């Protein structure tokens, strides 16, 4: 980009800053991360290139706002949705400015019709003249006046349509139409019919406008509301059509946690400045600290072994826990995974060799949805992997502890508790159901360092966060 930059003290043109402000709001809602500094850069760029050339404007803003291929795709979609409307609005606004100079067909009856008080044609005049460009401009102006950019929910659609039409003069048109029909004249009936038909067409245009605005301004809020509902819903109750979105949520949550704890871990591993060693190293420069020395301490990543019950109602929770754990490889180490129902097998190699989504499907196909036998499964684990449990191992057991009245083998849990650093039991059932029927939860509870209800994504996030907090 060439040309002088505007000075910091120079105010941006009002006509340029308002559309850009709304576009930045739309872009953020679409998922772009736009900082305050980038917003200022965008305003300067628009001040230079203007709105006249849509291609130049799109390329210029794209250079400022989109930083990755994913954001470029989001930016393109948001730009096309938003500036398509703004171009029409700009053209129509010019027509509005010219509207007072036009004569509404010069008839005596028209000359007596009301205006909106500013000398411009009233809504009934615009409808009778079928002045669509001015109507479109008036519609957008009314929409801005009622705050259309605040629309968030689909249920607000009819409210905004009504407010926009009333702002344009709906009540006057309805009163005039009723008066014309009450007069009983044939010409008045025709005129009333014409007004009603064009008013209905205007109502359709307002509906389209509000729905487009809903896509622009309400998408972010709708998506956030939907995500909050999914994260707080019981995993067993979520419709399979939502599972792909749930996987996206799991990956996003895991990435956020991994980023937070990786930074924390790097900071702690760097340690504190060792003043004595730093001064000794820099004696040759008169003590000026060109070379620093740090007191470092080794922080080990948590070693995790996960035992997942993949039978019946617990299976859905298990697959999301596995996704969560394997998305955290940056902050966890030596993750070993086991699936059990009637017996237990290790599934670490499946989860490491394949993409996590495909791996979970294979694990479920091999072991999932069977009948639980916790005693047998614990015996299998003791026979095959007990020696690999050390005092650095965190053992996570996911299950409802319902062993179908088989021997729970609590003595194995006792031996595991003596060897492991700690045992965390995640139960998808509410606490009020623990110990009822064939549940052995209270028999296992004395051997657990922590036992929690875990039936939602929020529960999973809390457990993983707690695990990492204790490790750091």
């Amino acid at each position: 980009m060439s040309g002088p930059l505007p000075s910091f003290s120079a105010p941006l043109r009002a006509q340029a800053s308002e559309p850009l402000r709304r576009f930045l709001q739309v872009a953020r809602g679409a998922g772009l991360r736009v900082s305050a500094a980038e917003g200022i850069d965008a305003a300067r760029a628009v001040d230079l290139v203007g709105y006249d050339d849509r291609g130049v404007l799109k390329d210029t803003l794209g250079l400022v706002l989109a930083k990755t291929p994913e954001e470029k795709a989001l930016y393109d979609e948001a730009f096309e949705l938003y500036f398509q409307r703004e171009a029409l609005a700009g053209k129509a606004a010019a027509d509005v400015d010219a509207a007072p100079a036009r004569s509404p067909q010069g008839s005596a009856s028209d000359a007596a019709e009301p205006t909106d008080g500013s000398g411009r044609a009233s809504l009934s005049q615009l409808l009778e003249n079928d002045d669509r460009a001015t109507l479109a401009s008036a519609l957008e102006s009314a929409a801005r006046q009622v705050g259309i950019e605040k629309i968030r929910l689909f249920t607000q659609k009819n409210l905004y349509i009504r407010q926009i039409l009333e702002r344009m003069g709906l009540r006057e048109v309805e009163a005039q139409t009723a008066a014309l029909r009450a007069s009983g004249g044939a010409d008045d009936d025709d005129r009333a019919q014409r007004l009603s038909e064009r008013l209905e067409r205007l109502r359709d245009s307002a509906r389209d406008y509000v729905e487009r605005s809903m896509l622009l301004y309400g998408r972010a809020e709708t998506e956030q509301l939907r995500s909050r509902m999914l994260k707080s819903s019981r995993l067993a109750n979520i419709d399979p059509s939502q599972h792909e979105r749930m996987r996206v949520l799991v990956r996003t949550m895991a990435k956020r946690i991994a980023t937070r704890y990786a930074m924390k871990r790097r900071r702690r591993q760097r340690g504190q400045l060792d003043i004595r060693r730093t001064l000794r190293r820099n004696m040759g420069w008169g003590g000026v600290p060109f070379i620093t020395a740090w007191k470092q301490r080794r922080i080990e990543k948590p070693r995790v072994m996960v035992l997942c019950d993949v039978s019946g109602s617990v299976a859905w929770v298990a697959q999301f826990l596995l996704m969560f754990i394997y998305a955290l490889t940056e902050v966890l180490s030596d993750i070993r995974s086991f699936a059990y129902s009637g017996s237990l097998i290790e599934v670490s190699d499946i989860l490491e060799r394949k993409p996590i989504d495909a791996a979970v499907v294979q694990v479920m196909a091999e072991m999932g949805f069977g009948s639980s036998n916790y005693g047998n499964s614990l015996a299998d684990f003791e026979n095959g992997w007990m020696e690999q449990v050390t005092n650095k191992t965190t053992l996570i057991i996911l299950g409802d502890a319902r062993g179908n009245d088989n021997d729970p083998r609590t003595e194995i849990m006792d031996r595991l508790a003596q060897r492991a650093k700690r045992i965390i039991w995640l139960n998808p059932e509410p606490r009020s159901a623990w110990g009822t029927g064939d549940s052995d939860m209270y028999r296992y509870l004395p051997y657990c360092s922590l036992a929690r209800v875990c039936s939602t994504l929020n529960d999973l996030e809390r457990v993983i966060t707690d695990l990492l907090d204790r490790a750091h």
Side-chain angles (χ1 to χ4, degrees), residues 304 306 322 326 334-339 344-360 362-363 366-367 385 388:
V304 177
V306 187
L322 290 173
Y326 275 83
D334 296 336
I335 302 173
R336 303 281 299 271
S337 302
F338 303 85
L344 179 142
I345 62 169
E346 182 170 7
V347 295
S348 303
D349 58 333
I350 301 174
L351 291 161
E352 288 168 2
R353 278 189 290 105
K354 293 190 171 184
I356 187 63
D357 293 352
V360 167
Q362 182 176 340
V363 169
E366 291 187 9
M367 291 291 294
W385 297 275
Q388 297 171 35

Side-chain angles (χ1 to χ4, degrees), residues 278-290:
T278 299
L279 289 176
R280 279 201 300 271
R281 286 185 181 184
N282 293 279
M283 291 297 289
W285 295 283
V288 178
F290 289 109

Side-chain angles (χ1 to χ4, degrees), residues 213-228:
S213 299
M214 178 71 203
L215 286 176
L216 279 170
Y217 299 111
R219 180 167 59 179
E221 187 74 19
T222 304
E223 290 296 310
Q224 289 174 7
L225 176 64
R226 190 177 166 200
S227 297
R228 286 199 295 270

Side-chain angles (χ1 to χ4, degrees), residues 13-250:
R13 294 194 304 267
Q15 291 298 321
S17 62
E18 182 57 22
L20 180 62
R21 185 192 66 77
R22 292 199 302 272
F23 174 66
L24 293 179
Q25 179 185 350
V26 168
R28 289 189 179 103
L32 266 74
R33 293 167 299 164
V34 182
S35 66
E38 288 168 337
I40 293 172
D41 289 343
R44 289 174 177 166
V46 170
D47 210 31
L48 287 173
V49 302
Y51 290 94
D52 294 337
D53 191 326
R54 192 162 172 269
V56 171
L57 177 64
K58 182 177 180 180
D59 291 343
T60 304
L61 285 178
L63 287 172
V64 175
L65 302 177
K67 299 169 283 292
T68 64
E70 292 76 16
E71 289 192 350
K72 182 70 169 57
L74 294 172
Y75 166 79
D76 287 343
E77 182 184 2
F79 185 94
E80 294 300 333
L81 267 174
Y82 182 77
F83 280 103
Q84 182 181 15
R85 299 168 58 248
E86 290 303 311
L88 292 175
K91 179 180 181 300
D95 295 338
V96 161
D97 293 338
R102 283 202 297 265
S103 170
Q105 296 182 354
S107 65
S109 60
D110 290 342
E113 289 176 352
T115 66
D116 63 359
S118 62
R120 294 180 177 176
S122 66
L123 179 59
S124 60
Q125 278 182 299
L126 295 175
L127 290 173
E128 289 205 78
N129 296 338
D130 202 17
D131 189 348
R132 300 189 185 191
T134 309
L135 280 170
S137 173
L139 191 150
E140 293 219 9
S141 176
R144 284 195 293 273
Q145 290 174 24
V146 302
I148 190 65
E149 69 271 17
K150 296 178 182 174
I151 187 169
R152 294 292 180 269
L153 303 173
F154 186 76
T155 51
Q156 296 174 300
K157 188 177 72 171
N158 288 335
L159 173 66
Y160 273 98
I161 292 172
R162 181 73 187 181
Q163 287 181 344
I164 290 170
L165 293 177
E166 287 186 351
R167 181 75 63 165
M168 293 177 70
L170 174 65
R171 292 182 186 277
E172 291 80 359
V173 175
E174 289 177 338
Q176 185 177 356
T177 304
L180 288 171
R181 287 192 170 131
S183 68
D187 290 344
D188 288 343
D189 279 345
D190 291 343
R191 194 176 166 194
Q193 182 63 27
R194 190 165 58 248
L195 273 176
S196 296
E197 291 174 355
R198 291 176 182 175
L199 181 61
E200 193 58 33
R201 191 171 63 198
L202 178 64
R203 199 186 303 277
D204 290 340
S205 299
R207 183 177 295 107
D208 291 343
Y209 185 88
V210 171
E211 287 177 352
R212 287 199 303 271
S213 299
M214 178 71 203
L215 286 176
L216 279 170
Y217 299 111
R219 180 167 59 179
E221 187 74 19
T222 304
E223 290 296 310
Q224 289 174 7
L225 176 64
R226 190 177 166 200
S227 297
R228 286 199 295 270
M229 289 179 60
L230 287 174
K231 287 165 71 174
S232 60
S233 299
R234 287 175 61 85
L235 293 171
N237 294 336
I238 291 177
D239 189 86
S241 63
Q242 300 291 333
H243 281 183
E244 182 54 38
R245 181 167 185 80
M246 293 290 287
R247 294 186 184 100
V248 173
L249 285 175
V250 168

